[in-house]
Amino acid sequence: MFSKLRLARVAASDSSAVLADLDAPAKAYSGIATRLVEQALALDAQLIRRTRGEDAPMTAKDTSSGTASAGGATGRRVRVRNRWGQGERLRAEILEGASRLLGELGTEDGFTLRGVAREVGIAPASIYGHFRAKSELIDAVLTNEYDQLIGLMREAQATVDASDPVGRLRAQLHGFCRYSMVNPGHYRVMFGVRYGEGGRAPLWRVIGELTVALAACEEAGARLRLPAERAAITLLVGAHGTVALSQARRTGSDAEAVVLELVDEQLSLVFDGA
């Protein structure tokens, strides 16, 4: 391919030299030939960079057309290339950039690998070395978000003494609600119809955490009106619906307090005699 491009440049250059000696109307074609040469040179350089696995450098044209550095009007980030062997660092940066973009969009619609590349400051082709498709990248982002959500729920649970299992369950639900309200974009995508390994949606991880906490309540003598897993599903559906309604209403600064109060009322409904 490179040899054909070089032949094209030579042919275009020869044409420019000949046209320069023609009459005035014909000289207009000389400018066209010159532009063809410039385009061929640019394309040749770009193909060489891609073959070497290098990212396309920032140019004045990129700056004016929407691929400038962060802090400018265009939104592209300037990224320093990793040293050889630091591919995991690039993977982490891609995940971070994809997470920011997905959180801003709040939907998979409009989420593209090209957009992620702009967010991170790399060429789109660089993403394929770590993620084979957009769906694979989204799955990785959501897995990371679920890890964070579960981590926050466990941290909240740990703040309550083990002698109060109902209080620990309440803390988990509060942690879930706080995460969902602080990260509305991720929250909407996470609760979309998506299936992980084994054919189960990732939100079953949350149900599993709540089920274990409810079982601990039963072991401590609390009586559930439903089996533990069904009670966990009931609580999750209630908390999810409460958060969704709160976001739809765009309530004020007391939104969190209202949501947590309603979730506490839902919690009392799954216990017999509460």
Side-chain angles (χ1 to χ4, degrees), residues 70 142 172 174 183 224 238-239 271:
L142 294 185
Q172 279 195 321
H174 286 190
N183 303 279
L224 295 175
F271 288 100

Side-chain angles (χ1 to χ4, degrees), residues 243-257:
V243 170
L245 286 173
S246 175
Q247 292 179 347
R249 292 177 59 190
R250 299 183 180 276
T251 50
S253 57
D254 63 337
E256 180 180 302

Side-chain angles (χ1 to χ4, degrees), residues 74-154:
T74 57
R76 177 163 179 171
R77 299 171 183 269
V78 175
R79 180 182 175 278
V80 178
R81 282 178 53 80
N82 292 328
R83 294 180 180 178
W84 183 262
Q86 292 184 335
E88 284 303 310
R89 175 184 169 188
L90 175 56
R91 186 180 190 277
E93 291 177 0
I94 293 171
L95 278 173
E96 291 173 2
S99 181
R100 286 193 299 269
L101 186 59
L102 198 61
E104 292 170 3
L105 293 172
T107 175
E108 294 181 34
D109 297 336
F111 180 90
T112 65
L113 294 183
R114 189 173 296 277
V116 174
R118 283 196 299 269
E119 179 71 21
V120 181
I122 60 176
S126 299
I127 296 178
Y128 288 101
H130 301 274
F131 303 97
R132 293 169 294 182
K134 182 179 80 169
S135 59
E136 185 175 314
L137 176 55
I138 292 176
D139 286 342
V141 170
L142 294 185
T143 295
N144 184 61
E145 290 301 322
Y146 270 106
D147 288 344
Q148 292 188 45
L149 171 58
I150 297 299
L152 289 172
M153 291 175 64
R154 290 176 177 175

Side-chain angles (χ1 to χ4, degrees), residues 2-266:
F2 296 156
S3 62
K4 291 181 180 179
L5 289 171
R6 294 190 180 96
L7 288 174
R9 294 202 308 274
V10 173
S13 299
D14 292 342
S15 298
S16 298
V18 173
L19 289 171
D21 296 330
L22 300 178
D23 55 5
K27 288 183 179 179
Y29 291 97
S30 178
I32 297 175
T34 300
R35 287 195 294 274
L36 287 173
V37 171
E38 293 173 350
Q39 291 174 2
L41 286 169
L43 180 59
D44 194 6
Q46 185 178 5
L47 288 172
I48 291 173
R49 287 195 300 273
R50 288 185 179 180
T51 301
R52 294 175 178 173
E54 299 175 352
D55 297 339
M58 299 297 292
T59 63
K61 182 177 180 181
D62 291 334
T63 303
S64 63
S65 62
T67 55
S69 63
T74 57
R76 177 163 179 171
R77 299 171 183 269
V78 175
R79 180 182 175 278
V80 178
R81 282 178 53 80
N82 292 328
R83 294 180 180 178
W84 183 262
Q86 292 184 335
E88 284 303 310
R89 175 184 169 188
L90 175 56
R91 186 180 190 277
E93 291 177 0
I94 293 171
L95 278 173
E96 291 173 2
S99 181
R100 286 193 299 269
L101 186 59
L102 198 61
E104 292 170 3
L105 293 172
T107 175
E108 294 181 34
D109 297 336
F111 180 90
T112 65
L113 294 183
R114 189 173 296 277
V116 174
R118 283 196 299 269
E119 179 71 21
V120 181
I122 60 176
S126 299
I127 296 178
Y128 288 101
H130 301 274
F131 303 97
R132 293 169 294 182
K134 182 179 80 169
S135 59
E136 185 175 314
L137 176 55
I138 292 176
D139 286 342
V141 170
L142 294 185
T143 295
N144 184 61
E145 290 301 322
Y146 270 106
D147 288 344
Q148 292 188 45
L149 171 58
I150 297 299
L152 289 172
M153 291 175 64
R154 290 176 177 175
E155 288 176 7
Q157 181 188 47
T159 62
V160 181
D161 192 87
S163 62
D164 183 10
V166 176
R168 287 165 67 85
L169 173 60
R170 179 183 294 107
Q172 279 195 321
L173 287 169
H174 286 190
F176 169 85
C177 293
R178 289 192 174 103
Y179 170 89
S180 302
M181 297 182 74
V182 172
N183 303 279
H186 291 126
Y187 162 77
R188 286 193 292 272
V189 180
M190 290 165 71
F191 272 80
V193 179
R194 228 177 161 76
Y195 297 95
E197 295 181 4
R200 272 196 163 189
L203 61 87
W204 277 94
R205 294 178 59 187
V206 180
I207 294 173
E209 292 291 319
L210 297 177
T211 300
V212 171
L214 283 161
C217 293
E218 282 191 302
E219 291 176 3
R223 295 177 59 188
L224 295 175
R225 293 178 175 173
L226 299 168
E229 186 176 80
R230 290 182 63 186
I233 294 172
T234 300
L235 289 174
L236 178 60
V237 169
H240 167 59
T242 302
V243 170
L245 286 173
S246 175
Q247 292 179 347
R249 292 177 59 190
R250 299 183 180 276
T251 50
S253 57
D254 63 337
E256 180 180 302
V258 172
V259 166
L260 297 184
E261 181 180 353
L262 289 172
V263 167
D264 287 346
E265 292 178 2
Q266 294 162 9

